[in-house]
Amino acid sequence: MVVAGCIGDDDPDGDGADLIDPDDYDYERDEPDDEEAARQSTMEFTQELERDEDFDPIHSNDAYSTQAFKLVFDSLYAWDDGLDLEPKVAVDMPDVERDDTRYLYEIHEGIEFHNGEELTADDVAHSFMAFQEEDSVNEAQYDMIESAEVIDDYQVQVDLEHPYGPWELQTQAIYVVPESERETEDQREEFNTNPVGSGPFVWSDFEFNEYVTLERNDDYWDEPEPYLEEITFVDNVDPASRIGEIRAGDTDAIADVPNDDWAELEAEDGVRVHISESPSYMHLTFNCRDDAPTGDPDVRRGICHSFSMTDFVETQLANVAQPLSAPIPPITNEMWGFPLEDWHEEYYPEYDPERAEELLDGAVPDDWSPSILAPGDHRGDLAERIATRLGELGYDGAEAVTLDFGTLLDETVYNEDPSPDDFQAYLLGWTGGPDPDAYIYNLYHESQEGINQAHFYEGSADFHDDIAEARELADQDERYDRYEGVMIEILEEVPSLPAYSFHNTMASREYVKDLHAHPMVQQNPRIVSEYGNVWIDD
């Protein structure tokens, strides 16, 4: 993606660094000379945030718990090395009938759960329906399912209430859980912290807020079998401490390399850095209610022209992010082909302080004191930069307010009736996948007010209808047409300004072999697949 910017001598944000290209870190596969030695490997992986300690795929909504339990379970479909699905427990892609509302799945015979029971169609049907039957926090992602019926031991029929565009791209990739282990409430409570799956690793040891240890499943049904004998997940939320651990060799691999540490780690003897483009989406979102100054689209445009998003990324995040031109990240657009470069040229508000002053003058009072809410990370830095630029235009009361994540959510997306004084804008992020619905519906549809968004943007006559209709269409061309109009309106009216997409980064000791970063953060570290099988070279 080419991102143009109005960068000149009058730009106080200039002289940014060149952006890193994740493709430059696409390492070749490593194969051990001594497989038996490789099979005695053990590994510690340090995560950047604490896990919610919810390890039941039906109820977990936490990427960091998923990073551990994904090795315990098999999914019906698995991600390849990008954002395409390929059969795993399923034999092939489903047969589709009844105007794209009926999906017929055949599964492999002879798959065993870790308790010795065979994985059958009953377990697959249970895994589809449990989200609704158990009032899961993930229920909304599966509430279009009408029924899941067992045809025989190895065939399942799933009926939808209506066509659902993201189904084959993402939704059908459920983890298969054993029904017999989750039949009662007491069983489900035990299952949450002692899960049983059919995956390449078996749950071994667990201590709340400390570690999760998994052991290799020596009877794993699929190829390749893992080399690692054991893997332990720990967390360290302090970036400096995490970097110190990997440099000292106190852990084998870490997640999330800060921008300022990238070059130093890359040059460090005995350390290897890993990076992958991701489907993450950071956004600056405005309070669009009529009684808020930012309810006026010209005020929103004025704020957007007051600073350079491109320069912020180039000066603060060049090693770990890329600027955005649309409400979907470039990796999501790879299978859709929206004209992101053209949109940036035509619609994206470039840095232009004179235009910003012109738009804001008279639209807001001279003593206007907008507050921009953000978490205390790179988004807090961006909020501070925006406030500074508005101050340079004469709005000295502009304020960046950094909050802990829970408080920020309560003040913004969970706030069903924000006042103009609560905030004028906030900075948050979202991670989706290969389908625009994950971003457009959750972050812009009116049904998500008080759940996932707090802009309260009313939009044009067709805006919200087009978003809802797009997810209930099966034809990708028809969906493209709906999303094209919606995204152009977002860029023109700026209820939310696309900011940047964060890359997934890791660092490992050089003796950690065949480790590759995956676009989906939940899939990291990718321990065993046909695209990599991690082992330790002692």
Side-chain angles (χ1 to χ4, degrees):
M1 180 178 69
V2 176
V3 181
C6 184
I7 304 173
D9 294 336
D10 61 342
D11 183 356
D13 297 335
D15 300 325
D18 292 335
L19 301 178
I20 272 184
D21 183 353
D23 289 341
D24 293 340
Y25 298 82
D26 187 12
Y27 302 120
E28 296 293 325
R29 292 288 309 275
D30 293 314
E31 298 289 348
D33 294 328
D34 186 343
E35 288 200 7
E36 283 307 309
R39 286 178 57 81
Q40 297 175 35
S41 302
T42 64
M43 176 180 172
E44 180 181 88
F45 183 78
T46 301
Q47 299 168 288
E48 73 270 36
L49 289 175
E50 296 173 347
R51 299 170 298 278
D52 283 352
E53 312 290 32
D54 194 340
F55 301 104
D56 182 345
I58 302 301
H59 295 284
S60 179
N61 192 27
D62 161 38
Y64 305 98
S65 295
T66 304
Q67 287 180 344
F69 76 59
K70 74 176 187 296
L71 297 170
V72 175
F73 297 95
D74 285 314
S75 49
L76 193 61
Y77 293 89
W79 299 106
D80 63 6
D81 57 350
L83 295 184
D84 289 318
L85 293 177
E86 53 192 18
K88 182 66 172 179
V89 169
V91 172
D92 206 339
M93 301 308 287
D95 292 328
V96 184
E97 300 178 350
R98 208 180 69 167
D99 296 325
D100 299 294
T101 62
R102 173 167 291 168
Y103 293 84
L104 301 169
Y105 298 95
E106 180 183 358
I107 65 172
H108 289 287
E109 299 181 25
I111 301 176
E112 282 193 1
F113 288 114
H114 303 152
N115 62 8
E117 296 179 2
E118 186 180 16
L119 187 159
T120 69
D122 288 292
D123 301 301
V124 177
H126 169 73
S127 300
F128 272 119
M129 296 306 299
F131 298 100
Q132 297 180 42
E133 294 171 349
E134 299 173 18
D135 296 324
S136 166
V137 294
N138 303 310
E139 180 180 0
Q141 300 175 47
Y142 303 92
D143 61 5
M144 74 296 300
I145 299 176
E146 183 180 281
S147 63
E149 297 181 9
V150 173
I151 298 173
D152 58 34
D153 284 348
Y154 307 108
Q155 293 188 86
V156 182
Q157 174 182 299
V158 177
D159 287 349
L160 308 185
E161 293 179 354
H162 52 75
Y164 184 59
W167 184 265
E168 289 187 77
L169 291 177
Q170 186 163 6
T171 313
Q172 64 182 357
I174 58 165
Y175 290 100
V176 181
V177 298
E179 183 177 19
S180 66
E181 295 280 344
R182 306 182 69 265
E183 291 178 321
T184 69
E185 208 168 298
D186 287 343
Q187 280 183 307
R188 290 194 288 273
E189 185 175 343
E190 168 68 16
F191 188 83
N192 186 53
T193 54
N194 189 19
V196 175
S198 62
F201 285 83
V202 178
W203 194 261
S204 174
D205 196 9
F206 165 64
E207 192 69 38
F208 272 107
N209 298 322
E210 291 191 25
Y211 63 83
V212 173
T213 298
L214 310 176
E215 293 181 354
R216 181 176 61 228
N217 176 10
D218 286 324
D219 297 317
Y220 189 50
W221 64 278
D222 200 12
E223 296 289 340
E225 294 181 5
Y227 286 129
L228 285 185
E229 187 173 28
E230 181 180 279
I231 180 169
T232 296
F233 292 84
V234 297
D235 64 74
N236 185 343
V237 301
D238 178 25
S241 175
R242 207 166 55 247
I243 294 298
E245 285 185 346
I246 194 64
R247 293 184 67 186
D250 293 336
T251 188
D252 298 315
I254 64 169
D256 190 37
V257 178
N259 180 78
D260 293 345
D261 294 297
W262 181 269
E264 187 176 355
L265 269 190
E266 187 174 18
E268 179 90 8
D269 288 340
V271 173
R272 172 181 272 190
V273 291
H274 309 263
I275 188 168
S276 172
E277 192 174 353
S278 88
S280 69
Y281 172 70
M282 304 297 154
H283 53 92
L284 171 67
T285 292
F286 296 99
N287 183 346
C288 298
R289 299 184 72 140
D290 290 339
D291 54 357
T294 41
D296 180 347
D298 277 343
V299 173
R300 302 195 294 268
R301 295 183 188 108
I303 294 173
C304 293
H305 282 300
S306 73
F307 72 102
S308 170
M309 187 72 76
T310 299
D311 285 337
F312 175 78
V313 175
E314 289 179 348
T315 56
Q316 301 296 315
L317 302 170
N319 297 319
V320 295
Q322 61 180 325
L324 293 177
S325 294
I328 59 172
I331 194 171
T332 299
N333 192 52
E334 286 180 3
M335 65 174 58
W336 290 83
F338 293 105
L340 300 189
E341 295 178 24
D342 294 344
W343 286 358
H344 189 94
E345 289 281 337
E346 187 168 355
Y347 303 114
Y348 200 86
E350 297 175 349
Y351 173 70
D352 187 343
E354 291 183 1
R355 179 62 175 153
E357 191 171 20
E358 184 180 301
L359 289 166
L360 294 173
D361 186 27
V364 295
D366 292 341
D367 61 352
W368 184 46
S369 301
S371 57
I372 304 161
L373 278 52
D377 56 14
H378 47 90
R379 289 164 290 194
D381 296 336
L382 176 56
E384 187 64 44
R385 177 168 290 196
I386 297 169
T388 298
R389 295 294 173 258
L390 290 172
E392 291 169 354
L393 295 178
Y395 303 104
D396 297 331
E399 181 183 20
V401 181
T402 57
L403 302 170
D404 68 81
F405 200 67
T407 303
L408 177 61
L409 294 178
D410 289 338
E411 293 287 328
T412 57
V413 298
Y414 297 157
N415 188 346
E416 296 183 11
D417 190 24
S419 75
D421 297 327
D422 289 340
F423 61 88
Q424 296 299 296
Y426 62 87
L427 284 150
L428 277 173
W430 191 263
T431 297
D435 197 289
D437 176 77
Y439 308 90
I440 304 302
Y441 185 83
N442 289 298
L443 298 179
Y444 297 100
H445 191 260
E446 59 191 354
S447 67
Q448 300 303 296
E449 293 170 359
I451 301 172
N452 289 317
Q453 58 94 341
H455 49 69
F456 297 90
Y457 175 66
E458 293 183 2
S460 63
D462 296 327
F463 183 80
H464 295 288
D465 289 342
D466 282 348
I467 294 174
E469 287 175 12
R471 66 180 352 219
E472 296 187 12
L473 291 169
D475 184 271
Q476 188 154 323
D477 290 338
E478 293 183 32
R479 299 185 70 213
Y480 181 104
D481 291 341
R482 300 293 197 286
Y483 286 133
E484 183 177 42
V486 166
M487 287 195 283
I488 287 174
E489 180 170 336
I490 292 169
L491 292 171
E492 288 183 321
E493 301 298 319
V494 283
S496 177
L497 179 70
Y500 48 90
S501 178
F502 234 74
H503 301 317
N504 288 332
T505 57
M506 298 184 291
S508 66
R509 301 300 299 180
E510 280 192 344
Y511 57 70
V512 178
K513 302 298 184 181
D514 215 22
L515 178 64
H516 306 271
H518 192 271
M520 301 291 280
V521 65
Q522 302 93 324
Q523 297 301 308
N524 288 317
R526 199 81 182 274
I527 295 301
V528 55
S529 72
E530 66 179 281
Y531 306 101
N533 193 351
V534 175
W535 52 285
I536 304 298
D537 184 8
D538 289 331

